[in-house]
Amino acid sequence: MTPRPWRSVVLAVVVVIGVLGVGGAATGLWIELAGNDATRFQGLTEVVPWDEALVAPTHLAQPSATPAAEPAPAPEPAFDLAQHSTSDPASPWVIVNKQHPIAQDHEPADLVDVGRARVRAVAAPDVTAMVDAAQQAGVRLVVRSGYRSYVEQAGARAEIEARRGFAHAERYSARPGFSEHQTGLAVDFDSGSDPACNLQTCFARTAEGVWLAQHGWEFGFVVRYTEQNTAVTGYAPEGWHLRWVGRDLTAWMHEQGTGSLEEALGVAGGAEYPG
Ligand SMILES: [Zn+2]
């Protein structure tokens, strides 16, 4: 048989075309896949541009209105500081100080005995409750004095003035007609643990004085004259002298951190007597 070289050429060409065809098809498939991936990725990029999405997601539908919030609780009504008179001597909130005297002939109609003293009936249950609560805590409060009439105050003031001098008396003892004791709502306590401090500045540091300063408000009492309120009240500190005004007001004062009745009720005070 005579070799026919053209056949080899034709075969070679066919093989080459075949290889190129398979390769080309594979290449086209790869390009198509890559193109699809690229298109898909590009599509995502267009829908959610990362930087704008973080800053302002304008592609999201905006809510048409703020969702309804929980209704706010009604504000608590402000404590009514005008519910009692500060000038009527029968009012639980009457203020008697060097600027506001009490009528010479005023005597409360409802005085009752508590220990050695007389106080108004409206305050008596809280005096008893306070003394009992202190006793439960091992603190021995002794009721020393409560109501004093104008005449009795004149005697007490004259005595302290004779013993300690006018200037001292002015700082610690009211002139007759200007004493809170005449309201029947002020109570002086003695210390059962340290009687040497009775009616002395050191009373405030006795177990009884410390307890009164911490717990008096729970029973409607304020320590009327303190180191902090001397300029307002016009009296030197008297840790033993408590004034009953009722638990509502003392709770409010405690919450507010109010340091004196004058400040709580907006009444003038000070160390000077009028005239
Ligand atoms: Zn007193």
Side-chain angles (χ1 to χ4, degrees):
M1 221 163 79
T2 304
R4 295 181 181 171
W6 62 269
R7 281 194 181 176
S8 298
V9 171
V10 168
L11 183 64
V13 167
V14 166
V15 167
V16 167
I17 287 173
V19 168
L20 287 177
V22 170
T27 304
L29 180 65
W30 181 84
I31 288 171
E32 191 186 356
L33 286 172
N36 282 347
D37 285 345
T39 303
R40 203 178 304 133
F41 189 78
Q42 191 181 25
L44 283 174
T45 306
E46 283 172 356
V47 171
V48 187
W50 69 271
D51 50 348
E52 289 176 24
L54 286 175
V55 175
T58 51
H59 63 288
L60 295 173
Q62 295 297 313
S64 58
T66 307
E70 287 287 311
E76 275 191 34
F79 184 63
D80 181 7
L81 290 165
Q83 62 187 285
H84 296 295
S85 167
T86 58
S87 57
D88 176 355
S91 163
W93 290 1
V94 65
I95 288 193
V96 178
N97 61 22
K98 292 177 181 179
Q99 293 292 317
H100 296 92
I102 185 168
Q104 188 169 338
D105 60 356
H106 174 75
E107 179 173 340
D110 58 347
L111 292 171
V112 297
D113 291 332
V114 178
R116 288 181 281 171
R118 281 190 297 165
V119 300
R120 285 191 53 193
V122 68
D126 277 334
V127 178
T128 305
M130 187 164 73
V131 171
D132 289 350
Q135 193 169 23
Q136 295 289 315
V139 172
R140 290 183 285 155
L141 289 175
V142 180
V143 176
R144 180 190 184 97
S145 63
Y147 169 74
R148 289 202 286 269
S149 69
Y150 179 94
V151 171
E152 288 167 329
Q153 181 65 27
R157 165 69 191 226
E159 189 201 324
I160 194 168
E161 208 172 301
R163 203 153 40 84
R164 306 293 298 269
F166 179 80
H168 177 94
E170 285 285 87
R171 295 180 65 224
Y172 287 93
S173 176
R175 298 178 187 176
F178 294 87
S179 173
E180 208 172 40
H181 282 281
Q182 202 183 327
T183 66
L185 298 173
V187 182
D188 292 339
F189 290 92
D190 278 348
S191 165
S193 69
D194 192 358
C197 283
N198 292 345
L199 302 184
Q200 304 294 315
T201 304
C202 63
F203 178 91
R205 297 190 291 275
T206 65
E208 288 71 28
V210 170
W211 192 93
L212 283 172
Q214 285 179 346
H215 298 285
W217 70 272
E218 297 166 18
F219 302 91
F221 284 90
V222 293
V223 178
R224 187 72 172 90
Y225 312 119
T226 68
E227 245 175 67
Q228 290 76 30
N229 71 20
T230 295
V232 178
T233 62
Y235 286 99
E238 294 185 2
W240 61 88
H241 177 113
L242 278 88
R243 163 65 194 275
W244 185 89
V245 288
R247 299 185 185 198
D248 286 356
L249 179 55
T250 56
W252 181 85
M253 288 176 67
H254 182 76
E255 191 184 300
Q256 301 287 317
T258 312
S260 67
L261 288 183
E262 280 83 357
E263 289 162 293
L265 298 172
V267 175
E272 302 302 318
Y273 285 95

